[in-house]
Amino acid sequence: MTDPIQHIQSLLPPRNTRRDTGEAYAPANIALCKYWGKRDTRLKLPVTGSLSVSLGAHGTRMTLRRAEADALTLNGEAVAPDSRTFRRLFAFLDLIRDPAHRLAIESHNTIPIAAGLASSASAFACAVKALESLYAWNLPPQLRSILARLGSGSASRSVFEGFVEWHAGSSPDGMDSFAEPLAPVWPEFRIGILTVSEAPKPVGSTEAMERTVRTAPLYEAWPKQVEHDLPRIRRAVLDHDFITLGETAEHNALAMHATMIGSWPPVIYWLPETTAHLHSVHRLRAEGLPVFATLDAGPNLKLLYTAEHEADVLRNFPMLIQIDQNPTP
Ligand code: 2P0
């Protein structure tokens, strides 16, 4: 069998070498049905499918320029060539760019820093789109998503806007593992971020995921959880059924955290405030306010609610950062 990465490279069109710059934007995304665990770590093939919602104008904007040497600035600050961020990004670009091309990259995250949202999804999705702009490509959307996936699994979803589903696929070469847009964001749907800590995570999500798959007996139940949750969430998105969406998304996130806590050494991202906020969400629901929580690989919560209850949610969580999900202009 041809190496799967070489196969993907063979599908890339000829590069237009007349352009000197490329520019693009990609939104961050929050999974409502989570991606947790790979069946192939090199190709970033997931064990299960997942479904996310993109965060409109909160994401990564990137400009690539032909240069004498590779260089990277992040929000205006130079990133050292021996740093992990630099090496990971350029190793990824090496899969796609002309080997003779050096690039100076300016990357800007438009995600509020205090929101503590991971930026790898929007960064790798944006890098693919910026290379497309540099080389004057118009890639088939599935190939764009597959390329982004090689950078970071969740980036496969960030090449699209709105509600997006990443199909797990079953092929060993991953050519059937890509994301597709499912539906636009509905106008009444709301997401807010409850920041508990902005400190770097004790364990990165790639390592945490691998540790869970390797050591957590509970992980065996995870594909069954997704088998139940993913079709329900998909249906709820299409029907604008907020309650089913909220309940299933919260259950899915808590089940994901349960698998991590059951690994060894344990991965416990929660801080005392994480639990306190979850209890508040549950108390408010018991009092009749339809608000739900989801959590990613960190201690911060994302609250799900609708426009109708926005004022009540904000009154109960004054520190909530509301995310405007309107697609980028
Ligand atoms: C997600 N997360 O579906 C899940 C939920 C975090 C919790 O995707 O190893 O940075 O680069 O494929 O995509 C974060 O993991 O991991 C993630 P890699 P990624 O959004």
Side-chain angles (χ1 to χ4, degrees), residues 227-262:
E227 207 176 299
H228 174 266
D229 295 345
L230 187 53
R232 280 174 80 89
I233 292 176
R234 187 191 301 127
R235 191 71 256 156
V237 164
L238 295 173
D239 293 347
H240 294 192
D241 174 356
F242 175 72
I243 300 296
T244 304
L245 178 65
E247 285 180 357
T248 317
E250 183 171 311
H251 190 186
N252 185 268
L254 296 179
M256 175 185 74
H257 278 269
T259 68
M260 301 181 200
I261 293 169

Side-chain angles (χ1 to χ4, degrees), residues 31 34-35 38 88 120 152-154 157 205-206 209 296:
K34 308 291 184 187
Y35 149 53
K38 298 180 184 72
R88 188 173 167 196
S120 76
S152 193
S154 52
R157 300 185 309 237
S205 56
T206 304
M209 218 183 265
D296 291 299

Side-chain angles (χ1 to χ4, degrees), residues 97-296:
R97 66 177 169 174
D98 184 321
H101 291 167
R102 300 298 100 207
L103 294 169
I105 303 180
E106 283 172 36
S107 182
H108 288 273
N109 280 337
T110 54
I111 303 166
I113 305 270
L117 288 175
S119 56
S120 76
S122 57
F124 286 102
C126 190
V128 172
K129 292 169 83 173
L131 282 173
E132 262 189 278
S133 153
L134 179 69
Y135 293 137
W137 287 342
N138 185 15
L139 297 175
Q142 294 180 357
L143 181 58
R144 190 180 293 142
S145 176
I146 286 172
L147 284 169
R149 191 199 74 219
L150 297 177
S152 193
S154 52
S156 67
R157 300 185 309 237
S158 266
V159 297
F160 302 112
E161 299 204 332
F163 292 97
V164 176
E165 180 170 350
W166 174 15
H167 308 288
S170 57
S171 165
D173 68 2
M175 294 311 290
D176 57 356
S177 183
F178 49 80
E180 283 184 313
L182 175 70
V185 172
W186 80 78
E188 297 80 23
F189 183 77
R190 295 283 182 279
I191 292 189
I193 314 281
L194 262 186
T195 307
V196 164
S197 167
E198 294 168 34
K201 324 174 180 195
V203 190
S205 56
T206 304
E207 156 63 18
M209 218 183 265
E210 285 171 25
R211 194 186 296 175
T212 308
V213 175
R214 207 173 55 242
T215 70
L218 286 177
Y219 190 72
E220 210 182 294
W222 176 247
K224 289 178 211 144
Q225 179 85 34
V226 175
E227 207 176 299
H228 174 266
D229 295 345
L230 187 53
R232 280 174 80 89
I233 292 176
R234 187 191 301 127
R235 191 71 256 156
V237 164
L238 295 173
D239 293 347
H240 294 192
D241 174 356
F242 175 72
I243 300 296
T244 304
L245 178 65
E247 285 180 357
T248 317
E250 183 171 311
H251 190 186
N252 185 268
L254 296 179
M256 175 185 74
H257 278 269
T259 68
M260 301 181 200
I261 293 169
S263 47
W264 195 262
V267 181
I268 308 178
Y269 284 119
W270 295 14
L271 294 171
E273 297 89 332
T274 310
T275 321
H277 285 316
L278 269 175
H279 285 299
S280 300
V281 166
H282 296 169
R283 178 178 50 77
L284 290 167
R285 272 218 302 277
E287 290 168 10
L289 185 65
V291 55
F292 299 89
T294 182
L295 305 99
D296 291 299

